[in-house]
Amino acid sequence: MPRPKSEFEEIFPCDFYEPADLLASDAMYTVYEIARLLQGLEPDAELERDTEDILLDWAIPWIMVNADELVVAEPRSDDEPGHYGLAETTSD
């Protein structure tokens, strides 16, 4: 059920990182690492499972919206997630 804005103490702009501002050009990241980076955490920060699930709710749409600027690599094994990185840009 929607709630009135007046119920919230603070409301912030919904600004998201651009891929090039978040990811190193020479690295590949799992969705879990991207989720942490989007929150200003280190990619290997320890999180409780419930917290990680909430962060994934932000990371998955971010990856989809920015798909044109990203590349994906298949998992190296069946028990590992895929990895995402910045697509190479070319100069004209």
Side-chain angles (χ1 to χ4, degrees):
M1 176 102 176
R3 296 174 22 193
K5 286 182 181 179
S6 61
E7 287 186 14
F8 298 90
E9 287 183 33
E10 290 185 81
I11 297 175
F12 305 96
C14 192
D15 293 331
F16 291 99
Y17 291 97
E18 293 295 323
D21 295 333
L22 188 69
L23 308 176
S25 62
D26 62 346
M28 298 290 284
Y29 303 84
T30 67
V31 66
Y32 304 101
E33 293 165 336
I34 291 171
R36 288 170 175 80
L37 290 170
L38 285 168
Q39 295 300 314
L41 302 171
E42 292 296 318
D44 59 353
E46 288 292 322
L47 298 174
E48 293 181 17
R49 179 65 189 186
D50 291 343
T51 302
E52 188 166 64
D53 289 345
I54 291 168
L55 297 185
L56 286 176
D57 287 345
W58 291 84
I60 293 168
W62 183 87
I63 289 171
M64 294 173 65
V65 165
N66 292 291
D68 290 345
E69 297 178 50
L70 302 172
V71 293
V72 62
E74 291 288 330
R76 293 177 290 188
S77 65
D78 289 342
D79 62 343
E80 182 179 271
H83 286 74
Y84 301 87
L86 291 174
E88 301 224 5
T89 57
T90 57
S91 324
D92 291 331

